[in-house]
Amino acid sequence: MALIKLIGGKDYTRQLKNQCLAAIGLLLVGIVGIVCYFTLVPGSGLEDFARGFYIGGASGITAGALILLIRCTYLLHNPKAYQKAKVKDTDERSQTIIHKSFEIAGAVTFFTGAALLFVVLPFSVAAFRAVMGLIVLFVLTFVATSCMLERRM
């Protein structure tokens, strides 16, 4: 659902076409994961949880992408379903809920990551750097999008 809301545009038909493209991109990511699972993972010495991540993550991404692609294609070719989905997806209340949810999720993610830095550093410098990288990415994305939106609005 989040992907659907992130790929915007004023024209609902354009949104659906963009979602189809995003679904194809996700489908490719899932296929890469599945191919890696069958070609790179055997004999790699990875632990069981890592093997499970490959097949579980790749399968989930592939399934989600297929569902999104089928939904978008169906809506683009069925006028009655298209109209019903358009009303639901462009509803102001629905969009406000999604935006507020992203705002809350972002705040929780940021502060949890900041607290996590203190917990993981004694155990793993690599994990510390990974979490720090995500926090830096979050902050840079926030600053960049704020600047862009400030100029547009």
Side-chain angles (χ1 to χ4, degrees):
M1 189 60 158
L3 176 65
I4 292 170
K5 295 299 179 183
L6 285 175
I7 302 171
K10 297 200 183 231
D11 178 33
Y12 190 65
T13 302
R14 182 85 240 139
Q15 284 181 5
L16 288 175
K17 289 179 181 178
N18 288 344
Q19 289 173 27
C20 282
L21 292 174
I24 291 168
L26 284 172
L27 188 59
L28 293 174
V29 169
I31 291 170
V32 166
I34 291 171
V35 168
C36 288
Y37 176 76
F38 287 109
T39 59
L40 300 177
V41 172
S44 66
L46 287 175
E47 295 182 31
D48 286 342
F49 82 90
R51 292 173 187 265
F53 168 78
Y54 267 95
I55 196 63
S59 299
I61 290 170
T62 302
L66 283 173
I67 290 168
L68 179 59
L69 188 59
I70 291 167
R71 176 188 184 269
C72 293
T73 304
Y74 173 74
L75 291 177
L76 286 169
H77 293 92
N78 187 329
K80 202 175 212 180
Y82 172 92
Q83 194 59 35
K84 187 176 178 182
K86 180 180 178 182
V87 169
K88 183 181 176 201
D89 289 347
T90 58
D91 176 52
E92 261 186 51
R93 181 177 179 273
S94 174
Q95 290 189 1
T96 301
I97 289 169
I98 294 294
H99 288 279
K100 190 64 177 174
S101 297
F102 269 111
E103 181 182 320
I104 292 168
V108 168
T109 301
F110 179 80
F111 289 111
T112 302
L116 191 59
L117 290 173
F118 293 104
V119 175
V120 299
L121 182 58
F123 299 104
S124 170
V125 175
F128 174 84
R129 288 181 179 146
V131 174
M132 180 61 88
L134 287 174
I135 290 175
V136 169
L137 176 64
F138 181 93
V139 170
L140 292 175
T141 304
F142 177 80
V143 170
T145 55
S146 292
C147 291
M148 285 176 20
L149 291 173
E150 197 171 288
R151 279 190 233 134
R152 285 185 182 175
M153 297 180 153

